[in-house]
Amino acid sequence: MPSASPVLRATRPPRLSPHPLHAVLLAFPVALFPAALLSDIAYVQTSQIQWTNFSAWLITGALVFGGFTLLWSAIGTIVSRGALRRRKGVSLLLLALAWIAGLFNAFQHSHDGWSSVGTLGLALSVLSTLFVLAAGMVFFSQSRTAAMEAAR
């Protein structure tokens, strides 16, 4: 006679930390947008044209990796549930805003001379930096939220 014990199913525990590839992809725009801001500040202080070239390349790298990060973040937001989905959505929105500000900044940096940075280029660098740093903070706070939900 079979036992009356319930059948135990193996369940996978919820992931309490962000996916490593997502974290690595996010590290690039989080590092490159602030570096572009610093090189813009250096250009404003010194008027050495090479700083604008550095900024243009840093912004381009941040946009390339930021695009892949946006794609990964969109997929992660779609497949998640509950409060974690809302946090991932906020992170996705902030990352998208940083990417859009960075794209306009790349267009601004394609101008010649002082107009490549100026007030608008510096303001766009500040905006993209603030948005991407906020996205990183929200993204890395997700693991804490997931751990709290799993403890319930």
Side-chain angles (χ1 to χ4, degrees):
M1 180 168 167
S3 69
S5 66
V7 176
L8 297 176
R9 291 187 315 170
T11 59
R12 196 170 83 182
R15 178 179 292 252
L16 299 181
S17 61
H19 194 280
L21 182 58
H22 193 177
V24 167
L25 287 173
L26 183 62
F28 283 95
V30 165
L32 295 175
F33 277 132
L37 173 62
L38 291 176
S39 64
D40 282 347
I41 292 170
Y43 174 71
V44 169
Q45 296 294 321
T46 64
S47 297
Q48 293 292 323
I49 197 69
Q50 190 62 33
W51 288 114
T52 63
N53 296 334
F54 290 154
S55 289
W57 281 105
L58 289 166
I59 292 166
T60 302
L63 289 173
V64 168
F65 284 100
F68 290 121
T69 309
L70 268 172
L71 179 64
W72 191 280
S73 186
I75 292 169
T77 302
I78 291 169
V79 300
S80 61
R81 296 185 191 126
L84 190 59
R85 184 177 198 165
R86 285 189 296 274
R87 281 199 177 266
K88 285 187 177 188
V90 169
S91 177
L92 174 65
L93 176 67
L94 289 168
L95 192 59
L97 289 172
W99 197 88
I100 291 168
L103 181 64
F104 283 119
N105 201 9
F107 292 147
Q108 181 64 29
H109 276 76
S110 67
H111 293 118
D112 289 336
W114 174 254
S115 63
S116 67
V117 177
T119 306
L120 181 60
L122 195 58
L124 288 170
S125 288
V126 168
L127 277 177
S128 58
T129 298
L130 290 175
F131 284 140
V132 80
L133 291 176
M137 287 173 49
V138 170
F139 174 77
F140 284 109
S141 71
Q142 292 172 17
S143 60
R144 183 172 173 220
T145 302
M148 289 170 39
E149 283 182 0
R152 289 183 195 173

